DNA sequence: GATCCTTTACGAGACTGATTAGTCTCGCTA
DNA sequence: TAGCGAGACTAATCAGTCTCGTAAAGGATC
């Protein structure tokens, strides 16, 4: 995390403050959950006055939405442009996706979104569009390159499901911490089904 | 791993009251969530004085634990004993499991457990053992009857994952309400992979 | 540049109003 | 003599507002 040496806050709201607030929100909400984490805690964590938060964000809900958006944003799928065979690129894509999504923070984010899914369905949609949806689209494209474009979407769904598998369920439910090799094995087993 | 919830063992507390409280808690917490649902609401829903709840349960957390335990318990998988071919019985098992697990109450229970997975991992383990784990075991047994017993556990995992598929993710994330046919389609598509 | 002046973001924290877990009291009943 | 229903009561939490004093940016004039 780089620290801007000489921020020059002008007339407008300091973007550095916004970033600090989001970082504080990430720390607090990932530690205590969206519902339990308080705005006072976010302000303290960010080293910021509470009013400053409300100058940058309309409400707690708006802050949560912005945080989810920010945490989902980096999750952009960069399709490997290498001239590898499509099957190989699909494998790499799945590996990268699983590695990203099994990060402790990613798991906590997923848990927090699932917890609030009923009250804030927008969060779920945001998360779905930003992360899981994109991988499915990318894999479907790769699949369509070498096979039938008609079946590609369904097979992409199935591949992602199998790549995550029970290991991800255990991670989400907090019943175990699967080793990375497990996911690699799941991915290879999934790909083998279409060979 | 029974969770002790009775503050004063030995007292004569009406078991019917305990059941009524749990039923009220189920109604309230499944309607409003564990965090939002209040003890006053549970008391009103159960037709019970608030103090009676605290005579039976040490705290709100204890009540939640007891409720989760109670809701997980009945989720027993009854393997179809009919003399149908194994493939047919696997299909029925998957259909029954999916139908059970996509119930609004089941989804809310799952959400609540995921939300508290970090703070109360025991609940996650309880849920996993009571529901998802059992289906996998049952399907693996059926698969082993007609195919290789060595690959059965892995294939059972994969079948369950594919049966739930993206539709279950959307349900959990609150982004949509998939029609039952979707799950049937996913199950048939999954089974077709091994035909 | 240098000196003033106005405006605005900011940290700190007091404050409000609403909610709620948990306790206490009382009168009823089996 | 219990458990019980009803509900008042306490204490804590928390979203959101308001008010301070401060620092600094942008502009104006010299």
């Amino acid at each position: 995390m780089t620290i801007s040496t000489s921020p020059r806050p002008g007339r407008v709201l300091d973007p550095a403050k916004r970033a600090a607030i989001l970082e504080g929100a990430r720390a607090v909400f990932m530690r205590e959950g969206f519902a339990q984490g308080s705005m006072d805690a976010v302000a303290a964590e960010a080293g910021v006055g509470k009013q400053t938060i409300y100058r940058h964000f309309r409400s707690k809900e708006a802050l949560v939405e912005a945080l989810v958006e920010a945490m989902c944003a980096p999750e952009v799928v960069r399709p490997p442009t290498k001239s590898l065979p499509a099957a190989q690129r699909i494998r790499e894509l799945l590996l990268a996706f699983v590695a990203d999504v099994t990060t402790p923070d990613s798991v906590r984010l997923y848990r927090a979104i699932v917890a609030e899914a009923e009250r804030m369905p927008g969060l779920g949609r945001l998360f779905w569009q930003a992360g899981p949806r994109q991988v499915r689209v990318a894999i479907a494209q790769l699949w369509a390159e070498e096979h039938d474009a008609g079946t590609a979407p369904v097979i992409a769904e199935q591949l992602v499901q199998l790549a995550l598998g029970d290991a991800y369920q255990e991670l989400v439910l907090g019943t175990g911490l699967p080793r990375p090799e497990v996911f690699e094995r799941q991915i290879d087993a999934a790909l083998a089904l279409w060979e």
Side-chain angles (χ1 to χ4, degrees), chain A residues 75-78 93 128-140:
Chain A
E75 230 175 296
V76 177
V77 180
R78 44 195 152 101
L93 211 56
W128 182 256
Q129 300 287 345
R133 186 88 198 87
Q134 297 217 1
V135 197
R136 282 154 177 82
V137 169
I139 288 175

Side-chain angles (χ1 to χ4, degrees), chain A residues 9 69 88 97 101 108 117 120-121 124 152 154 172 182 191 195:
Chain A
E69 198 166 11
Q88 196 81 6
F97 172 67
V101 106
R108 292 198 189 95
M120 303 172 68
V154 171
V172 165
V182 174
L191 289 170
E195 271 174 5

Side-chain angles (χ1 to χ4, degrees), chain A residues 2-56:
Chain A
T2 45
I3 298 171
S4 175
T5 51
S6 174
R8 300 193 177 279
R11 280 287 142 88
V12 279
L13 296 178
D14 190 352
K17 292 295 169 189
R18 190 178 200 274
I21 293 166
L22 282 174
E23 176 52 30
R26 194 197 56 75
V28 169
F29 291 146
M30 290 304 97
R31 188 173 59 234
E32 308 179 29
F34 291 141
Q36 208 59 31
S38 71
M39 295 296 268
D40 290 275
V42 172
E45 183 81 32
V48 140
K50 209 163 111 174
Q51 186 60 36
T52 302
I53 297 181
Y54 283 97
R55 264 190 292 267
H56 284 261

Side-chain angles (χ1 to χ4, degrees), chain A residues 49-69:
Chain A
K50 209 163 111 174
Q51 186 60 36
T52 302
I53 297 181
Y54 283 97
R55 264 190 292 267
H56 284 261
F57 302 95
R58 187 175 301 105
S59 62
K60 181 181 183 180
E61 189 175 327
L63 174 60
V64 167
E65 281 174 8
L67 174 63
V68 171
E69 198 166 11

Side-chain angles (χ1 to χ4, degrees), chain A residues 90 94 139 143 155-163 190-191 194:
Chain A
I90 288 177
L94 286 172
I139 288 175
W143 182 270
I155 290 178
E157 273 189 34
Q158 292 174 322
L159 278 173
V160 174
Q161 287 299 333
L162 293 175
L191 289 170
W194 281 275

Side-chain angles (χ1 to χ4, degrees), chain A residues 32 44 51 58 71 123 134 141 147 152 164 171 194:
Chain A
E32 308 179 29
Q51 186 60 36
R58 187 175 301 105
M71 288 186 74
L123 293 190
Q134 297 217 1
Q141 281 177 350
H147 304 80
L164 295 172
L171 208 54
W194 281 275

